Amino acid sequence: MCNIKGGIDFSGLQQIIDKSDKKESSLIMILHETQNLYGYIPREAQGYIAQQLSIPASKVYGVVSFYSYFVDKPKGKYQVSVCMGTACYVKGAEDVLKRLEEELGIAFGETTEDLKFSIAQTRCLGDCSKAPVIMINDETYGMVTPDEVPLILNKYKEA
């Protein structure tokens, strides 16, 4: 059996599937481990899982797209989260988000081609007194202005 399809090595995925009972009831567990393996769940892997479990690919895709935990696109090394809760929104989070998108050349929900940055929106980061707030991985930045965005990003671009 060919272990590489569309540039993806399926040997690790096959090991995950082999330790399951190869039934549809194992799908969620297989998807969790697949995401841990690749960092996301590639479309090719979804098709491979469907084939191995003898279920329609649309069923696998439906589960991946239904649960927000699962992602079918690679995430960047640096996850940039922009709080869009009421306090942050009122104090300019939308302008901060626009500046992030301009600086990185991507929209929220996307990842840069070099896989360095991804932008996500979040409802609340729990630091309303410092609105607007962004978070890059585990580091929080408060009272962010659009003009500060390039300075903040440079710290990560140079890393």
Side-chain angles (χ1 to χ4, degrees):
M1 173 186 354
C2 180
N3 284 335
I4 299 180
K5 180 179 177 187
I8 295 179
D9 182 353
F10 289 130
S11 57
L13 179 54
Q14 187 61 53
Q15 290 175 6
I16 292 167
I17 294 168
D18 285 344
K19 71 179 183 179
S20 76
D21 62 10
K22 294 188 180 182
K23 294 182 181 174
E24 187 176 335
S25 59
S26 299
L27 180 58
I28 298 286
M29 181 273 302
I30 291 169
L31 291 173
H32 274 284
E33 292 191 33
T34 301
Q35 186 159 294
N36 288 339
L37 177 67
Y38 298 112
Y40 70 111
I41 305 172
R43 201 53 89 100
E44 297 90 344
Q46 293 176 45
Y48 187 81
I49 291 166
Q51 178 186 16
Q52 295 297 307
L53 299 183
S54 301
I55 59 175
S58 60
K59 180 140 195 135
V60 176
Y61 176 74
V63 171
V64 170
S65 61
F66 178 78
Y67 291 102
S68 61
Y69 171 80
F70 295 129
V71 292
D72 61 357
K73 293 182 178 71
K75 289 183 179 180
K77 177 179 179 181
Y78 300 109
Q79 299 290 309
V80 183
S81 299
V82 181
C83 181
M84 297 302 275
T86 304
C88 288
Y89 188 83
V90 168
K91 291 193 174 189
E94 190 170 30
D95 293 333
V96 172
L97 174 60
K98 284 179 187 172
R99 185 67 184 264
L100 279 164
E101 291 173 334
E102 289 170 11
E103 291 293 321
L104 296 174
I106 57 173
F108 87 90
E110 295 181 344
T111 301
T112 56
E113 282 188 31
D114 63 2
L115 300 178
K116 203 157 191 180
F117 295 94
S118 294
I119 302 175
Q121 291 182 19
T122 186
R123 280 288 131 221
C124 185
L125 291 173
D127 204 357
C128 300
S129 65
K130 294 182 182 173
V133 177
I134 68 170
M135 189 171 202
I136 301 179
N137 291 352
D138 294 329
E139 191 155 349
T140 304
Y141 298 87
M143 298 181 187
V144 178
T145 65
D147 291 338
E148 291 175 317
V149 167
L151 301 171
I152 293 169
L153 290 177
N154 282 340
K155 176 179 169 182
Y156 297 91
K157 286 179 178 178
E158 295 169 1

